[in-house]
Each structure stands twice: as C-alpha cells, then as structure tokens.
Amino acid sequence: MSALRRALFPFRLARARLAAGGERLALIAVGIVAGAAVLAAVLAGRLVMQDRALAQATARLPADSRVVEVAWFGALGGTWRSLDREVAPELERLTGREPVRAMLYRESQIGGRLVNLRAADGLARWVRLRSGRLPKPCVPSHCEVLRIDGRGPIPSKSTLRLIEVGRATVRPDAPFAAFVAPAGQNGTEMVARAVRYHTPQPSPVVLAEGVDGLSRTSELQTFFRTYAWFLPVGGGDVHPWAIGSFSRSVDRVRAAIGAKSDRFQVTAPTEELAAASSSSRAAARRLLLLGGEGAALLLAFTLLAAVALRRDVGDARRRLVWFGARGWQVELFTFVEAAATAVAATAVGWGAGAGVAAVVAGRAGSPAGEVVSHALLSRGGLTTAVLVALAASFLLYLAVRAPAVQVGTFTLTPLDMAALGAIAIVVVGYARGSVDATELAASGGTGTFLLLVPALVTFAIAVVCARVLAPALRTLGRAGSRGPVALRLAATSLARNPGHAAVAATFLVASLGLALFATTYRSTLLEGQRDEAAYAVPAPYVLTEDLSQLVPVLHGARGLGGTEVLRLSGNVPSSATFTFLGVPARALPHVGGWRDDFSATPLPTLARRLEPSESTALRMTKLPPGHVLTLPVSVRGDDIGIRAIVRSPLGDVEGVSLGATNGARDKLLQAKVPFAHASLVSLDLDLLNSGRKASNAGTGVQASARGKLRLGTLRVDGKAVPRAFAGWRGLDFTLTTDVASSVRPRQPTDGHPLPVLATPAVVAAAGDDRVLPLSIEGEHVTARIVGVVKRFPSIIGDAIVADRETAATTLDTPFPGLGTTDELWVDRLPTPTPELLVQSRAGMLDELRADPLARGALATLAGTALVALALALVGLLLGVVGDLRDERGELFDLEAQGASPATIRTHLRLRALLVAAFGLLGGLVAGAILSALVLSLVTLTASAAQPEPPLRLALDWPLVGAAVAAYAVVAGVLVLWCTRLGGQAPERAAEVAA
C-alpha cells in the first residue's frame, strides 16, 4: 500500500493543482483545443468534399456507364418470369431499389419486313413523346409501340400485331438508353441525320410497354433475344468509404447469378467509381494537408505558450524535492500534469471538430453521422486523436522540463534550437528542389514537406520576434527618455522581465502571420478562379460548332455580330504542335483573360504589329443573284475539267463542276450556283484521265495536260459579270497530278509571310530572321514572328496568333474554305442558339466555384484565418492577465513609492498595448513573407489542379484592412477592460482580472 500511495501521489498532486489553478494552463489548452478542432474538422471536411466530388463525378458519367446491368442472351432455355425471379432480388440487395427491366430482339423479319423490336417497363418515366400517346402494356396477341427511329412501315401479322401509337425519343438519363436505341439514334433528328449521312436507311426501331407481355408472344418464341436488368447508380448512392464494400457486393451478385446460368453477364461501374474516388482522394489529400498546416501551427502555439509555465513548474518541482519527493515522482508529476491538460484539450477539440463536421456534412448533402464515424471515430480517426494528444503531452513536458543550453554568453533555449531546425529544413528543401508546386503534383498530393513550409517559416519568425522583443523595448525606453513616465516604465519593465509578455508577443506574431497568410492565399485562389474562367472563355460568350448537328457557326448565330475567330491546329518542323488562332488585330487589346505577365510587350503594341497597313480581305468576284452560271471557253491542246470555287456571304465554300472540254475547241460550260448571293473565288483546272503520259523520274508514268485556255464572258442567268477575269483571259497551262492548278485574282498576301505572335517553344524553331514554315491542318504556310507571348487566352500549350482577316486570306488563297470562321466571341446572347455549343464565362466561373474541393479549400483557409485571429485575441487576453499576476509585486512597489492609480493604470495599458502592437507588426511581417512565398510554395488552384494561367499573388486590401482595424479595436477594448483598477490595490485588481 505504501508503494501504491507513492506511485499515486504524483497523480493526486497533478489533479489538485489543476483543480486549484487551471487558469495557468488556459492559454495552452486553448491552443490544443483549437489545433485538435481544426484537424478534426479538416479530416471530416475532407471526407465531405471527397464525397461530393465523387457524387459529381458519378453524375457526369453517361447514363449507360453508371448502372449495374445484368444481361441474359439466348433464344431458348429460359422464360422471362423465371429469370426475373432469379435476378431482381439479387440486385435489390445492392441499393434496396427495384431494377429497371428491358429487352430487345435483334433486327428481325416479321411478315417479310425488318424491324428492331424492343420493350421496357415504365416507359412514361423514360421516354419523351414527340407525337401520339404512350402505349398500353403489351399482350401476346398484339403490342402498341412507339417509333424511336427508322422509316418504313411497321410489320404486322395475325400472330403478332404491332400498332404504332406515337413517336418518341428515349431520355438521355434512361438507364437502358444505349441498350434499346441504336448508336447515334437516341436523341435528336440532327444526330440521326449526321450518322445516316453515308449509311443506309435503318429499319424501324420500336419500343413496347412491358417486357413480360412481349416475351410471351408466340411469333417470337424462337427469336434470339436479350433480357436486361438495370440498377442506376446515382450521385451520392455510393460514398467514398463504401467503394470497397460496393465492389464486393457486385462480386457476390456476379457469383450468385453466374452460378445459375452461364448466359448471364453482369457489368457494373466499379472501375469508374474507383477511379473517380482515387482522383478525389488525391485532391482531397491536398485539402487535408492545407488544413493540417494550420492545425500543426496551432499545436506549435502550445509549445510557445508552455514556456510561460517553466518558472511555475520549476518552483513546484523544487518544493517537491524540498519535501522529500523522489526524482521519478517529480518527473511523473510533471508529465501527468502536461498529459492531463493535453488529453482533456484534445478531447474537447475533437468533439468541437466533430460538431462542425456534422453541420458541414448536413449542409453539403452528405450523411453527417457516417462522415463523423468514418472520419473521426474510425480506427484511423481515433488513432490520429491519440497521436495528437501524445504529441501535445510530450511537447508540453519538454517545453517545461528541457533545460536551456549555454553557448558562451548567449543562452540557446529549446525554442531557438527548434527555430534553427525549422530554418534548416526549409533551406535543405530549397537546395534539393522539394519546395516546388510540381513536386506536389508529381507526388499525387502527398507533398507534406511542401505544405508544411509556411508553418515552419512562421514558427521561425515567431521565435526571432521573441528574441528581438527585449532589445527593441530597451531601444524604445532609451529613445523615449524624455517622454511620459508611464511609457518609459512600461518599456523598461518589459525589457527587464518579458515573462508572459514575450510569450504573448510571440503568440501574436505566429497567429496574425498565419491569419494574413491564409487570407492572402484565399484571395489568391479566388482571383485565380476568375483568371481561369476569363482565360478559358475570353469573351462573355464563345460560340462554336456542335459536331452532332453540323451547323456552321455563322449560320447558327445569324444577327448576333461579335468577333469572328479562326481556330486550327498545326505543327512546326521541330514537331512542336500548336494551336493557331486568328483574331482581328483591332480586337486583341480587348481579349478577356489577358494579363500583363503573358508578354514583355504590351498587348496593344503586339496588336499594332499584327494589324495590316491596308485591307487584306480575300479578293473575289461578286456574282449577281441567279441560279445558272455559264462560261464559254476555248481550249487548244489537251482536255481539262473546270470547277468554279464559289463562296457564300457566311463563308461557305463549295466547288461546282462546270464540266470538261471533251475534245471541243469551243464550249459553253455551265453549273448551278449553290448560294443565293455568291462570290467567285477561283477557277480550278482539273486533269482528266485522258491526259498525256510523261516520265515520272523513273518511277512510272504520270498524267499531264498542256494547252492554251481562253475564257469568255462569265454570266449568271444571262447577266454578264463585269471584270470577272480582268487581266487573265488567255492562259497557257501545264497540269500534273502533284500540283493543284487554279485561276484566281492576285491576293494582298501573295509573296508575304504571315505576321504572327508565337510562344517561346515555337520561336525557338525559327531562324535568325524569325521566319519559319508552318503546317496548319496539313497545309504549308510561311510565317514571320513579330512578337513573343508566353501564353494566350483560350489556348493550353503552344500558340500562334495572327490577324484573322490576314490569316483567312493566306489560308483561303491556296486552300479555299480553310480560313472559314469557326468561333464567334460575343458580349451578349439575347436569343438562344440551340444549334451551337455555347460557353459562358459566368458559367465557367460558377462551375469552378461549385467544385467541392475548391469550396473545401477556400472554406478551410477562411476557417484557419478566423481561428488564428480569434486565437490571437485570446492569447492577448490571457497574456495580459498573466502579466498582471506576475507583476503584482512590482505594481505594489510603484504604489508604495507614490505612483497614482492613473499612472499605474496607464503603465499597465501601455505594457499591454506595446505587446499587442509588437505582435501586430511582427504578424504583418510574417504574413508578408509567407504571402511572398505563396506562388512558389503552393501554386495549385482551389481544386488542386495545375492552374492555367498560373496563379498570381492577390491581396484583398479591404478585407485585410478591416481585419487589422477589427483586431486593433478589440485588442484595445480587451486591454482597457483587463487593466482597469477601479480604485482597488494593484494586487487585488490583478486577482480580480485573473
């Protein structure tokens, strides 16, 4: 019993001290609570964001890719009802929902006619009527059907009457959409026309209501059919923590159904969900580290604040030794007191974080209970909480127990050594190249060192500020020797015995530095979202061709105006690929998304270099309105074919054959004009098969044609076209197969390289004269570089930018139609354009802001800033209270020497305000240093992706100014309240304040 009492004595003593003087540990406990709460909230918030990201990724999958599907193939060997009884219960166990049923017969001949016959249950939910009504349930004798696609009569005979009652399309979100509708025929008629352009007309595709009725039709008993059961997997049906169990459940269903028949095939989006979960997990890990940085720094505050207990704990240890306590009891008492504080504070913080997480999960649409249990109450979450408590316990123990190290006349404390270690880690990281955003991206989100650099730097700055505090106060005391007595007393007393003041000042530097860093980084990410949206969509609206409808841009955007843009792809001789962009030079200074750091030359200057001195529009011959184009020609020599290249006002180019000479010396050629208001671009001379044969460098014979061509008066519906062939009516020609020959007007771009702006990789491929050959869509173009840009809005990768009109003429001259406008940038969109794809800058920005990981990162930074700022105020409050308690003896001496209560009160307030001002200045310095490192430390977007364009430091001055003003006001109020004496003795006032 004696040994047991000796062992329990340190525990009883620690409990008594904590019960009697808990305020001594309040500052430390607040730091641990805040750190644990932030870490817990981030752990759970990370899971919420991952869950929302997975839900969005699942919802973006095609409808047929996010279903669990069971299919049965065959003609004989199974009835629908027996198969359904085997499959449906197994699928219902996955999500608790009943599967959707469908079936199809291969293209079949019934009554001598082909038909694609399908059926599904619950058509009202899955189809969109275009005409008619919904069919009634199918029965074996007759079936009402909807026509989904195809033309021609629907077969019907006495044993199977198919009755068409309407036309419909299958909704894109129908789980069986791809199953019942042929590829390319599930949507609009535009899609069907595009698919059928070069294919035979498909047979009718019809859809009946009810799988059971159609399956029992006697006419179709021997026909090959496919039964299918679909279980849609919606966004939020499968959570990140359930991916593994979902895959195992699918495997069990596959095994159970496969054991019943080898004709079953089970497919599920397990790989797609696992890939989406893995991607969101990697991005969410960055969110964890982003919040973990703040939690680590808040726990570091605990180490800073614990130094204030060294004297108190040292006194208690000496008293214990004086009364006969043994060494192991003293050490055990010290550790138990530290551990009790750390464990209790960690538990409170963990609970607070769980409460915040539950609220966040509920608002986000995730199951709050499951999020908290899997993030915080799981084995991993509880292990993290235990590790936080242990780390805080040992930090407290070492802070109050480790002795200072004497180096000559300089005292090196544990904090100094920790600060030097932090600086060494950062320096080594820079030397090894670890402090780089690419390191974070390459490590898949596990670059812990990279994201801990701000915490290490802030910690080192805080320790340096603590070292600078005393000399700065002594300097202030000497500088103010002729100032107010209260100011000299405050500065001198603080310099001689910093005590709690030094700890509070260090605390404030770290807190405010982190708050400013988090605020700056958040504003940088917000500005990055705006830049990214403007860069991706350089105008309020960008209209492009919808390849599923094949409607040219200028046709689908009639009357909208805007800026016409040409976008093509190409490469240079070095094989570097680029995007070619033709934008009107006059519109370049107004392109959205441009930033000054994209080029050393201002954009207006670059625009002037591209703008031609005179019009470079394509020179064409305008044709009068009409339908028939006629051209008399006279040919001496070999026969040739002649084609007219005509262009519409909207840029459509079409070649129409005027015919061939066919041995006639004089012939009238004619063709139909394809456009109401057309212009003649050129006449192409085609080599006919009857041309002469010539040697082809020993590799064979090559067709060629020679002769003289004379052109007559060009007419449209009998009306002469003036000056149609001015200057080139008589032509000598030699045609071969390797060179395209045409008759056209001289263009303003002939013989001149195309002026372009280029990115550095393209510039490197040019010669000293900055002229280089380009291959644009496979065609050769000579360009001259007149400006260098690092990047250009709307282009990811290397770019070449030219004046649109000059580029269009350069391309259309040898390759008519290549320079046709394929984008339109408009400021307003007053009417819908359903035939075109529309990108909206506002929509892009909303999409970026709605990304769950982006929202989580921004919320984490905002929360970290608020916690750090609040913690700074709490630290100031407790620091002032501790200073009053420690200095009560000195205050009594001042009163005994005749100092008035007003002088003592002013003295106290100046001491506190000096500490607050020093902490604010140091915090601003720390925040400025960290903010300068934002771009080099974490240059990732809010959604944890590589930014395009790169992030640029952005400081929200109004917000920072408001935060500094709020801190100054609240700090002043706290100091005034804590240092009021109210006519009481200083020692009594100190007790009341404490």
PDB file of all heavy atoms in Angstrom, residues 129-149:
ATOM      1  N   LEU A 129     -42.289  11.966 -75.478  1.00  0.00           N
ATOM      2  CA  LEU A 129     -43.180  11.885 -76.633  1.00  0.00           C
ATOM      3  C   LEU A 129     -42.955  13.056 -77.588  1.00  0.00           C
ATOM      4  O   LEU A 129     -42.834  14.208 -77.165  1.00  0.00           O
ATOM      5  CB  LEU A 129     -44.640  11.873 -76.186  1.00  0.00           C
ATOM      6  CG  LEU A 129     -45.224  10.549 -75.680  1.00  0.00           C
ATOM      7  CD1 LEU A 129     -46.647  10.759 -75.193  1.00  0.00           C
ATOM      8  CD2 LEU A 129     -45.193   9.493 -76.780  1.00  0.00           C
ATOM      9  N   ARG A 130     -42.921  12.734 -78.870  1.00  0.00           N
ATOM     10  CA  ARG A 130     -42.891  13.769 -79.903  1.00  0.00           C
ATOM     11  C   ARG A 130     -44.243  13.909 -80.583  1.00  0.00           C
ATOM     12  O   ARG A 130     -44.585  14.973 -81.110  1.00  0.00           O
ATOM     13  CB  ARG A 130     -41.808  13.441 -80.924  1.00  0.00           C
ATOM     14  CG  ARG A 130     -40.389  13.452 -80.335  1.00  0.00           C
ATOM     15  CD  ARG A 130     -39.411  12.675 -81.188  1.00  0.00           C
ATOM     16  NE  ARG A 130     -39.374  13.168 -82.543  1.00  0.00           N
ATOM     17  CZ  ARG A 130     -38.814  12.493 -83.553  1.00  0.00           C
ATOM     18  NH1 ARG A 130     -38.290  11.298 -83.329  1.00  0.00           N
ATOM     19  NH2 ARG A 130     -38.796  12.992 -84.762  1.00  0.00           N
ATOM     20  N   SER A 131     -44.981  12.819 -80.592  1.00  0.00           N
ATOM     21  CA  SER A 131     -46.340  12.836 -81.146  1.00  0.00           C
ATOM     22  C   SER A 131     -47.072  11.595 -80.641  1.00  0.00           C
ATOM     23  O   SER A 131     -46.448  10.625 -80.196  1.00  0.00           O
ATOM     24  CB  SER A 131     -46.321  12.855 -82.684  1.00  0.00           C
ATOM     25  OG  SER A 131     -45.721  11.666 -83.192  1.00  0.00           O
ATOM     26  N   GLY A 132     -48.397  11.610 -80.713  1.00  0.00           N
ATOM     27  CA  GLY A 132     -49.182  10.455 -80.312  1.00  0.00           C
ATOM     28  C   GLY A 132     -49.322  10.336 -78.807  1.00  0.00           C
ATOM     29  O   GLY A 132     -49.311  11.321 -78.073  1.00  0.00           O
ATOM     30  N   ARG A 133     -49.414   9.091 -78.342  1.00  0.00           N
ATOM     31  CA  ARG A 133     -49.606   8.809 -76.922  1.00  0.00           C
ATOM     32  C   ARG A 133     -48.725   7.657 -76.492  1.00  0.00           C
ATOM     33  O   ARG A 133     -48.092   6.988 -77.323  1.00  0.00           O
ATOM     34  CB  ARG A 133     -51.075   8.460 -76.656  1.00  0.00           C
ATOM     35  CG  ARG A 133     -51.544   7.200 -77.393  1.00  0.00           C
ATOM     36  CD  ARG A 133     -52.948   6.809 -76.992  1.00  0.00           C
ATOM     37  NE  ARG A 133     -53.460   5.677 -77.770  1.00  0.00           N
ATOM     38  CZ  ARG A 133     -53.194   4.402 -77.498  1.00  0.00           C
ATOM     39  NH1 ARG A 133     -52.394   4.094 -76.470  1.00  0.00           N
ATOM     40  NH2 ARG A 133     -53.695   3.429 -78.240  1.00  0.00           N
ATOM     41  N   LEU A 134     -48.708   7.420 -75.168  1.00  0.00           N
ATOM     42  CA  LEU A 134     -47.944   6.292 -74.639  1.00  0.00           C
ATOM     43  C   LEU A 134     -48.678   4.981 -74.926  1.00  0.00           C
ATOM     44  O   LEU A 134     -49.922   4.937 -74.919  1.00  0.00           O
ATOM     45  CB  LEU A 134     -47.749   6.452 -73.132  1.00  0.00           C
ATOM     46  CG  LEU A 134     -46.805   7.567 -72.681  1.00  0.00           C
ATOM     47  CD1 LEU A 134     -46.892   7.730 -71.171  1.00  0.00           C
ATOM     48  CD2 LEU A 134     -45.368   7.273 -73.103  1.00  0.00           C
ATOM     49  N   PRO A 135     -47.959   3.914 -75.177  1.00  0.00           N
ATOM     50  CA  PRO A 135     -48.620   2.630 -75.463  1.00  0.00           C
ATOM     51  C   PRO A 135     -49.150   1.977 -74.194  1.00  0.00           C
ATOM     52  O   PRO A 135     -48.664   2.210 -73.092  1.00  0.00           O
ATOM     53  CB  PRO A 135     -47.502   1.799 -76.085  1.00  0.00           C
ATOM     54  CG  PRO A 135     -46.259   2.354 -75.487  1.00  0.00           C
ATOM     55  CD  PRO A 135     -46.501   3.827 -75.293  1.00  0.00           C
ATOM     56  N   LYS A 136     -50.162   1.125 -74.413  1.00  0.00           N
ATOM     57  CA  LYS A 136     -50.667   0.300 -73.323  1.00  0.00           C
ATOM     58  C   LYS A 136     -49.769  -0.920 -73.160  1.00  0.00           C
ATOM     59  O   LYS A 136     -49.018  -1.264 -74.069  1.00  0.00           O
ATOM     60  CB  LYS A 136     -52.111  -0.135 -73.614  1.00  0.00           C
ATOM     61  CG  LYS A 136     -53.089   1.024 -73.683  1.00  0.00           C
ATOM     62  CD  LYS A 136     -54.484   0.526 -74.034  1.00  0.00           C
ATOM     63  CE  LYS A 136     -55.461   1.701 -74.119  1.00  0.00           C
ATOM     64  NZ  LYS A 136     -56.831   1.235 -74.487  1.00  0.00           N
ATOM     65  N   PRO A 137     -49.845  -1.607 -72.003  1.00  0.00           N
ATOM     66  CA  PRO A 137     -48.982  -2.782 -71.807  1.00  0.00           C
ATOM     67  C   PRO A 137     -49.192  -3.820 -72.905  1.00  0.00           C
ATOM     68  O   PRO A 137     -50.309  -4.086 -73.348  1.00  0.00           O
ATOM     69  CB  PRO A 137     -49.413  -3.313 -70.441  1.00  0.00           C
ATOM     70  CG  PRO A 137     -49.948  -2.113 -69.730  1.00  0.00           C
ATOM     71  CD  PRO A 137     -50.615  -1.287 -70.789  1.00  0.00           C
ATOM     72  N   CYS A 138     -48.071  -4.383 -73.343  1.00  0.00           N
ATOM     73  CA  CYS A 138     -48.083  -5.358 -74.426  1.00  0.00           C
ATOM     74  C   CYS A 138     -48.688  -6.673 -73.930  1.00  0.00           C
ATOM     75  O   CYS A 138     -48.458  -7.101 -72.790  1.00  0.00           O
ATOM     76  CB  CYS A 138     -46.653  -5.584 -74.919  1.00  0.00           C
ATOM     77  SG  CYS A 138     -46.510  -6.735 -76.289  1.00  0.00           S
ATOM     78  N   VAL A 139     -49.459  -7.309 -74.801  1.00  0.00           N
ATOM     79  CA  VAL A 139     -50.002  -8.642 -74.537  1.00  0.00           C
ATOM     80  C   VAL A 139     -49.559  -9.538 -75.684  1.00  0.00           C
ATOM     81  O   VAL A 139     -49.207  -9.057 -76.770  1.00  0.00           O
ATOM     82  CB  VAL A 139     -51.538  -8.613 -74.420  1.00  0.00           C
ATOM     83  CG1 VAL A 139     -51.980  -7.780 -73.233  1.00  0.00           C
ATOM     84  CG2 VAL A 139     -52.180  -8.079 -75.702  1.00  0.00           C
ATOM     85  N   PRO A 140     -49.569 -10.870 -75.487  1.00  0.00           N
ATOM     86  CA  PRO A 140     -49.039 -11.761 -76.527  1.00  0.00           C
ATOM     87  C   PRO A 140     -49.687 -11.603 -77.892  1.00  0.00           C
ATOM     88  O   PRO A 140     -49.036 -11.804 -78.918  1.00  0.00           O
ATOM     89  CB  PRO A 140     -49.289 -13.149 -75.940  1.00  0.00           C
ATOM     90  CG  PRO A 140     -49.290 -12.946 -74.468  1.00  0.00           C
ATOM     91  CD  PRO A 140     -49.914 -11.604 -74.259  1.00  0.00           C
ATOM     92  N   SER A 141     -50.972 -11.225 -77.963  1.00  0.00           N
ATOM     93  CA  SER A 141     -51.651 -11.156 -79.255  1.00  0.00           C
ATOM     94  C   SER A 141     -51.352  -9.875 -80.019  1.00  0.00           C
ATOM     95  O   SER A 141     -51.315  -9.867 -81.249  1.00  0.00           O
ATOM     96  CB  SER A 141     -53.161 -11.298 -79.053  1.00  0.00           C
ATOM     97  OG  SER A 141     -53.635 -10.237 -78.213  1.00  0.00           O
ATOM     98  N   HIS A 142     -51.130  -8.758 -79.325  1.00  0.00           N
ATOM     99  CA  HIS A 142     -50.848  -7.503 -80.008  1.00  0.00           C
ATOM    100  C   HIS A 142     -50.084  -6.565 -79.064  1.00  0.00           C
ATOM    101  O   HIS A 142     -50.216  -6.646 -77.842  1.00  0.00           O
ATOM    102  CB  HIS A 142     -52.147  -6.835 -80.486  1.00  0.00           C
ATOM    103  CG  HIS A 142     -53.024  -6.384 -79.363  1.00  0.00           C
ATOM    104  ND1 HIS A 142     -53.898  -7.241 -78.718  1.00  0.00           N
ATOM    105  CD2 HIS A 142     -53.174  -5.172 -78.763  1.00  0.00           C
ATOM    106  CE1 HIS A 142     -54.535  -6.582 -77.769  1.00  0.00           C
ATOM    107  NE2 HIS A 142     -54.122  -5.330 -77.785  1.00  0.00           N
ATOM    108  N   CYS A 143     -49.309  -5.680 -79.686  1.00  0.00           N
ATOM    109  CA  CYS A 143     -48.481  -4.737 -78.913  1.00  0.00           C
ATOM    110  C   CYS A 143     -48.600  -3.351 -79.522  1.00  0.00           C
ATOM    111  O   CYS A 143     -48.388  -3.170 -80.736  1.00  0.00           O
ATOM    112  CB  CYS A 143     -47.010  -5.161 -78.931  1.00  0.00           C
ATOM    113  SG  CYS A 143     -46.594  -6.419 -77.717  1.00  0.00           S
ATOM    114  N   GLU A 144     -48.933  -2.392 -78.682  1.00  0.00           N
ATOM    115  CA  GLU A 144     -48.816  -0.988 -79.090  1.00  0.00           C
ATOM    116  C   GLU A 144     -47.372  -0.558 -78.880  1.00  0.00           C
ATOM    117  O   GLU A 144     -46.745  -0.892 -77.864  1.00  0.00           O
ATOM    118  CB  GLU A 144     -49.748  -0.112 -78.258  1.00  0.00           C
ATOM    119  CG  GLU A 144     -51.216  -0.408 -78.508  1.00  0.00           C
ATOM    120  CD  GLU A 144     -52.124   0.519 -77.730  1.00  0.00           C
ATOM    121  OE1 GLU A 144     -51.612   1.236 -76.814  1.00  0.00           O
ATOM    122  OE2 GLU A 144     -53.330   0.544 -78.007  1.00  0.00           O
ATOM    123  N   VAL A 145     -46.819   0.183 -79.858  1.00  0.00           N
ATOM    124  CA  VAL A 145     -45.402   0.530 -79.814  1.00  0.00           C
ATOM    125  C   VAL A 145     -45.208   2.002 -80.135  1.00  0.00           C
ATOM    126  O   VAL A 145     -46.065   2.648 -80.757  1.00  0.00           O
ATOM    127  CB  VAL A 145     -44.584  -0.337 -80.800  1.00  0.00           C
ATOM    128  CG1 VAL A 145     -44.648  -1.806 -80.412  1.00  0.00           C
ATOM    129  CG2 VAL A 145     -45.063  -0.122 -82.237  1.00  0.00           C
ATOM    130  N   LEU A 146     -44.074   2.512 -79.696  1.00  0.00           N
ATOM    131  CA  LEU A 146     -43.602   3.847 -80.055  1.00  0.00           C
ATOM    132  C   LEU A 146     -42.461   3.693 -81.054  1.00  0.00           C
ATOM    133  O   LEU A 146     -41.585   2.857 -80.887  1.00  0.00           O
ATOM    134  CB  LEU A 146     -43.091   4.594 -78.819  1.00  0.00           C
ATOM    135  CG  LEU A 146     -44.116   4.957 -77.748  1.00  0.00           C
ATOM    136  CD1 LEU A 146     -43.399   5.517 -76.530  1.00  0.00           C
ATOM    137  CD2 LEU A 146     -45.130   5.970 -78.281  1.00  0.00           C
ATOM    138  N   ARG A 147     -42.475   4.527 -82.097  1.00  0.00           N
ATOM    139  CA  ARG A 147     -41.363   4.510 -83.046  1.00  0.00           C
ATOM    140  C   ARG A 147     -40.251   5.392 -82.481  1.00  0.00           C
ATOM    141  O   ARG A 147     -40.451   6.588 -82.217  1.00  0.00           O
ATOM    142  CB  ARG A 147     -41.805   5.022 -84.415  1.00  0.00           C
ATOM    143  CG  ARG A 147     -40.710   4.907 -85.473  1.00  0.00           C
ATOM    144  CD  ARG A 147     -41.124   5.611 -86.744  1.00  0.00           C
ATOM    145  NE  ARG A 147     -42.234   4.948 -87.409  1.00  0.00           N
ATOM    146  CZ  ARG A 147     -42.102   4.092 -88.428  1.00  0.00           C
ATOM    147  NH1 ARG A 147     -40.892   3.788 -88.868  1.00  0.00           N
ATOM    148  NH2 ARG A 147     -43.160   3.541 -88.973  1.00  0.00           N
ATOM    149  N   ILE A 148     -39.083   4.785 -82.319  1.00  0.00           N
ATOM    150  CA  ILE A 148     -37.919   5.519 -81.798  1.00  0.00           C
ATOM    151  C   ILE A 148     -37.098   6.087 -82.937  1.00  0.00           C
ATOM    152  O   ILE A 148     -36.585   7.201 -82.860  1.00  0.00           O
ATOM    153  CB  ILE A 148     -37.059   4.591 -80.923  1.00  0.00           C
ATOM    154  CG1 ILE A 148     -37.886   4.042 -79.756  1.00  0.00           C
ATOM    155  CG2 ILE A 148     -35.836   5.327 -80.390  1.00  0.00           C
ATOM    156  CD1 ILE A 148     -38.455   5.103 -78.855  1.00  0.00           C
ATOM    157  N   ASP A 149     -36.975   5.322 -84.030  1.00  0.00           N
ATOM    158  CA  ASP A 149     -36.182   5.783 -85.158  1.00  0.00           C
ATOM    159  C   ASP A 149     -36.514   4.916 -86.359  1.00  0.00           C
ATOM    160  O   ASP A 149     -37.249   3.917 -86.263  1.00  0.00           O
ATOM    161  CB  ASP A 149     -34.686   5.722 -84.847  1.00  0.00           C
ATOM    162  CG  ASP A 149     -33.883   6.595 -85.792  1.00  0.00           C
ATOM    163  OD1 ASP A 149     -33.943   7.826 -85.633  1.00  0.00           O
ATOM    164  OD2 ASP A 149     -33.199   6.050 -86.686  1.00  0.00           O
TER     165      ASP A 149
END
